[in-house]
Amino acid sequence: DAKTTQPTSMDCAEGRAANLPCNHSTISGNEYVYWYRQIHSQGPQYIIHGLKNNETNEMASLIITEDRKSSTLILPHATLRDTAVYYCIVSLYNAGNMLTFGGGTRLMVKP
Amino acid sequence: GAVVSQHPSRVICKSGTSVKIECRSLDFQATTMFWYRQFPKQSLMLMATSNEGSKATYEQGVEKDKFLINHASLTLSTLTVTSAHPEDSSFYICSASQGGGSETQYFGPGTRLLVL
């Protein structure tokens, strides 16, 4: 699986949009970009995934660059409960395929 | 989304005893489940891949005789830490995916193991 690079930490003001970047310059053509988050002492929570096109769901939006070498997760209106470690992972879309977790980005949402 | 549960949520045991952790997919069937371990201030590390009806595949450095994995049904996988020692104290997390066109992995809430 391709490796990802994320900033170690970020701050965001409550109510503002949180934009979390991820670089995955070695991504292959059939690998998807997944985003998970882990709130302290809990299991990771699935947020969103995409292949080429931008995606949006009730939690977030995922913007993937045209060359697919980077992406941005957008939380449109961050709340204090969004404080967590956010993991960007690239992986094949395969039920039998493991996910390789990097260090992630520790997002701190501040009042 | 799909729901994965784990039991127990936390366990304290004496050194030398064995501990069993259950992972269940509550509203879907999972051909494949994964077991991860997370030490404090570190990321998740895959321990093994559990396939229903067959032997688990362990990652390099994970002792298969110490971490016994059984995937007896499409909704249940168990991890048994045998002869636990203090260095096995960690946060153990399982995940599962539905398959059949919905390959997103969903994670359990984790089990915190403390070996005294």
Side-chain angles (χ1 to χ4, degrees), chain A residues 57-78:
Chain A
N57 62 20
E58 64 278 5
M59 288 184 69
S61 294
L62 174 59
I63 308 298
I64 303 173
T65 57
E66 194 169 338
D67 63 8
R68 302 209 324 124
K69 292 185 177 182
S70 65
S71 61
T72 301
L73 178 74
I74 300 173
L75 307 179
H77 305 288

Side-chain angles (χ1 to χ4, degrees), chain A residues 34 36 38 41-46 49 87 93-104 106, chain B residues 32 34 36 38 42-44 46 59 91 93 97 99 101-110 112:
Chain A
Y34 289 85
Y36 285 80
Q38 187 177 26
S41 295
Q42 298 182 24
Q45 177 188 21
Y46 165 77
H49 74 279
Y87 296 99
Y93 193 63
N94 182 324
N97 207 60
M98 68 174 194
L99 299 176
T100 301
F101 285 78
R106 184 171 298 276
Chain B
T32 304
F34 302 88
Y36 295 80
Q38 186 176 33
Q42 295 185 23
S43 191
L44 281 77
L46 180 69
E59 294 300 299
F91 193 46
I93 309 168
S97 56
S102 179
E103 274 73 22
T104 299
Q105 278 191 39
Y106 295 93
F107 287 79
R112 189 161 300 282

Side-chain angles (χ1 to χ4, degrees), chain B residues 24-87:
Chain B
R24 293 180 185 274
S25 54
L26 296 185
D27 51 0
F28 67 99
Q29 294 185 327
T31 305
T32 304
M33 290 183 171
F34 302 88
W35 286 96
Y36 295 80
R37 180 168 53 181
Q38 186 176 33
F39 291 107
K41 299 190 185 301
Q42 295 185 23
S43 191
L44 281 77
M45 294 296 294
L46 180 69
M47 298 176 67
T49 303
S50 167
N51 295 296
E52 186 266 338
S54 63
K55 291 183 178 180
T57 303
Y58 291 80
E59 294 300 299
Q60 192 171 11
V62 178
E63 300 176 57
K64 61 182 169 79
D65 293 331
K66 180 171 181 62
F67 298 99
L68 301 179
I69 292 173
N70 186 297
H71 194 153
S73 75
L74 288 172
T75 60
L76 173 64
S77 176
T78 60
L79 167 69
T80 301
V81 183
T82 62
S83 186
H85 291 287
E87 57 265 30

Side-chain angles (χ1 to χ4, degrees), chain B residues 10-21:
Chain B
R10 59 176 60 228
V11 57
I12 301 173
C13 70
K14 292 182 179 179
S15 185
T17 60
S18 295
V19 174
K20 180 186 282 187
I21 302 170

